[in-house]
Amino acid sequence: IHLDEGEVFGFLGPNGAGKTTTVKLLNGMLTPTGGKCHVFGINPSMEPEKVHALSGVMTEHAQMYDSLTGLQNLVFYGAVFGLSAAISVKRGKALLKQLELEDAMDQKLTTYSTGMRQRLSLARALLHEPKILFLDEPTSGLDPEGARNVHAMIRKLAQEKGITVFLCTHQLRYAQ
């Protein structure tokens, strides 16, 4: 498969079909036993750090720190991506506002609902302004309005910022 810049690609399959495994292969988290893949010409199993710098990943069960606030989590992960604290705070606050988490930015994650955690995970994936976004069931746990907002944001990122989106889902309607 070849994806163009700004394309939203729906990777559709039932639970257990290998969607998450594919995302892990494309990000160098797993090494293929056969074949090969490239992300922006980079082999993720050979140079995973280069792929990580270009990609944002949102998995269904993202690891974040319950003892930190939403904003503190973003600042921490911003440092992982080489961003200064000031840039992380600025981008983090903008993303939290866009994802309707502004009022909860100073609350510890222990108080976040599943949907809030999903939206924070999306903010974390977007913090370093990736060229490609891997989304694994990004609307899992969201209410219908929250899901619509995430859908709109994904379309906007692709259209206005040229971010390529690799969207994993088992829902045909969502993929369409």
Side-chain angles (χ1 to χ4, degrees), residues 9-133:
F9 177 78
F11 194 59
L12 185 65
N15 291 333
K19 298 181 302 293
T20 300
T21 300
T22 301
V23 169
K24 289 179 178 181
L25 287 165
L26 290 168
N27 281 280
M29 299 160 127
L30 293 175
T31 303
T33 55
K36 55 186 167 184
C37 56
H38 291 89
V39 177
F40 292 109
I42 302 164
N43 182 332
S45 63
M46 302 297 279
E47 299 179 291
E49 67 286 343
K50 286 187 178 181
V51 173
H52 296 168
L54 299 171
S55 66
V57 181
M58 179 185 168
T59 58
E60 199 170 356
H61 305 288
Q63 179 62 44
M64 289 183 283
Y65 296 97
D66 285 338
S67 61
L68 299 179
T69 68
L71 185 59
Q72 287 171 336
N73 265 281
L74 294 181
V75 171
F76 172 82
Y77 283 102
V80 170
F81 283 108
L83 302 177
S84 71
I87 294 290
S88 294
V89 167
K90 181 180 177 185
R91 289 182 188 171
K93 284 183 176 180
L95 287 164
L96 291 169
K97 183 175 183 175
Q98 194 173 7
L99 290 163
E100 299 175 357
L101 288 171
E102 189 174 31
D103 292 343
M105 82 168 96
D106 294 321
Q107 294 175 17
K108 294 203 183 302
L109 253 59
T110 53
T111 67
Y112 277 42
S113 68
T114 301
M116 292 168 77
R117 284 175 175 267
Q118 280 295 95
R119 288 180 281 149
L120 184 63
S121 180
L122 180 56
R124 182 185 74 173
L126 291 167
L127 191 64
H128 65 292
E129 299 179 336
K131 291 177 67 174
I132 186 166
L133 194 54

Side-chain angles (χ1 to χ4, degrees), residues 8 58 95-101 114-123 125-126 133-159 165-169 174:
V8 178
M58 179 185 168
L95 287 164
L96 291 169
K97 183 175 183 175
Q98 194 173 7
L99 290 163
E100 299 175 357
L101 288 171
T114 301
M116 292 168 77
R117 284 175 175 267
Q118 280 295 95
R119 288 180 281 149
L120 184 63
S121 180
L122 180 56
L126 291 167
L133 194 54
F134 292 95
L135 303 176
D136 191 1
E137 303 288 356
T139 57
S140 173
L142 298 183
D143 60 33
E145 184 178 347
R148 278 192 298 278
N149 290 345
V150 169
H151 296 164
M153 185 178 186
I154 291 167
R155 280 192 299 275
K156 186 177 179 181
L157 289 167
Q159 292 169 352
V165 180
F166 189 92
L167 174 69
C168 297
T169 184
Y174 182 46

